[in-house]
């Protein structure tokens, strides 16, 4: 397994199409099951945001690969990791939208594949900072950050049959069994923005060992 200690890269939406999943293809020969985690950053309303910085600290583990993808507002993301001497790692991302954001939506998402359990360091939170088109600071709580285990629709930190049930119930009666925002992000395992039977099949395939990651 390739351990990435430091990543510093810039992606654009078009570059990602070619780069997508290239890094973990080599693992296809092995049957190692990976956990897929995702950091989603979104805004409830744009409020004139154009730039956002996001950082969090996690337990140092072997990250097999990372991928970053811009959302509804286009733009670019630069991200990096920094290992600290206290055996934790800081993940930082800097996002620049294609223009000033005045509507709700996803800014970007980062995915992490690992055989380990990836957790935020106890007592810490994801920090976000928002800036306008002139790079003037707007606020810390305008950009929301959600960190989820992909496939974990019911938010209990494991992916198992109960998540299939949660998605089935959500699809059958969303008013009664609606998923939380984090649950919805986690259930959208193919990252296309909607939760449907395609995602349900992928969760089932993962639980049955047909696929080893999302
Ligand atoms: Ca679960
Ligand atoms: Ca989906």
């Amino acid at each position: 397994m390739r351990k990435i200690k430091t990543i510093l890269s810039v992606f654009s939406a078009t570059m990602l199409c070619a780069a997508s999943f290239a890094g973990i293809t080599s693992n296809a020969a092995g049957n190692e099951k990976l956990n897929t985690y995702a950091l989603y950053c979104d805004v409830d309303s744009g409020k004139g945001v154009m730039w956002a910085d996001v950082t969090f600290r996690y337990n140092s583990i072997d990250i097999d690969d990372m991928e970053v993808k811009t959302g509804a507002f286009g733009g670019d993301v630069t991200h990096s990791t920094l290992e600290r001497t206290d055996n934790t790692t800081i993940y930082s991302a800097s996002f620049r939208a294609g223009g000033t954001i005045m509507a709700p939506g996803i800014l970007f998402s980062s995915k992490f594949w690992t055989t380990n359990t990836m957790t935020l360091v106890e007592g810490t939170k994801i920090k976000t900072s928002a800036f306008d088109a002139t790079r003037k600071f707007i606020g810390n709580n305008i950009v929301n950050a959600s960190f989820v285990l992909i496939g974990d629709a019911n938010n209990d930190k494991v992916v198992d049959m109960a998540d299939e049930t949660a998605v089935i119930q959500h699809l059958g009666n969303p008013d009664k069994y609606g998923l939380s925002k984090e649950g919805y992000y986690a259930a959208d395992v193919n990252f296309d923005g909607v939760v449907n039977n395609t995602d349900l099949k992928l969760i089932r395939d993962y639980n049955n060992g047909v696929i080893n990651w999302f």
Side-chain angles (χ1 to χ4, degrees):
M1 180 180 292
R2 181 164 55 98
K3 182 176 183 182
I4 301 173
K5 291 196 172 184
T6 304
I7 293 178
L8 186 62
S9 50
V10 180
F11 294 94
S12 70
T14 47
M15 284 170 67
L16 269 171
C17 294
S20 182
F21 293 98
I24 61 168
T25 307
S26 58
N27 274 329
N31 288 318
E32 202 160 25
K33 199 160 190 172
L34 302 179
N35 292 319
T36 307
Y37 293 91
L39 168 72
Y40 273 92
C41 291
D42 61 37
V43 286
D44 299 323
S45 69
K47 292 187 177 174
V49 174
M50 184 164 168
W51 300 73
D53 291 340
V54 182
T55 183
F56 69 88
R57 195 149 59 93
Y58 62 91
N59 59 317
S60 283
I61 53 172
D62 287 339
I63 299 290
D64 197 63
D65 206 355
M66 295 183 191
E67 180 188 285
V68 64
K69 182 179 172 185
T70 52
F73 309 106
D76 299 289
V77 184
T78 303
H79 69 169
S80 63
T81 59
L82 176 67
E83 282 198 28
R84 290 165 41 115
T85 53
D86 65 356
N87 205 32
T88 64
T89 300
I90 295 173
Y91 173 86
S92 302
S94 185
F95 167 77
R96 185 197 62 191
T100 301
I101 300 171
M102 299 306 293
I106 293 171
L107 306 186
F108 71 94
S109 55
S110 298
K111 284 106 190 181
F112 310 81
W113 288 272
T114 175
T115 53
N116 305 96
T117 300
M118 188 177 180
T119 57
L120 267 62
V121 173
E122 197 173 343
T124 67
K125 290 181 178 177
I126 303 169
K127 295 175 185 166
T128 70
S129 305
F131 307 85
D132 69 10
T134 65
R135 262 291 197 178
K136 183 182 157 204
F137 176 71
I138 304 174
N140 289 116
N141 299 312
I142 293 171
V143 173
N144 308 309
S146 306
F147 186 71
V148 299
L149 170 63
I150 295 298
D152 180 24
N154 66 356
N155 285 317
D156 67 352
K157 310 297 182 193
V158 293
V159 180
D160 58 19
M161 278 186 64
D163 298 302
E164 298 174 29
T165 303
V167 174
I168 291 167
Q169 290 180 328
H170 167 76
L171 295 176
N173 190 344
D175 291 334
K176 189 174 179 183
Y177 300 109
L179 298 171
S180 66
K181 185 169 92 171
E182 287 76 14
Y184 197 90
Y185 283 152
D188 179 21
V189 299
N190 68 348
F191 311 121
D192 68 352
V194 294
V195 174
N196 57 27
N197 280 314
T198 303
D199 301 298
L200 175 61
K201 182 181 185 307
L202 288 166
I203 295 173
R204 191 171 281 152
D205 285 349
Y206 182 79
N207 287 336
N208 292 333
V210 177
I211 59 173
N212 289 323
W213 60 76
F214 294 119

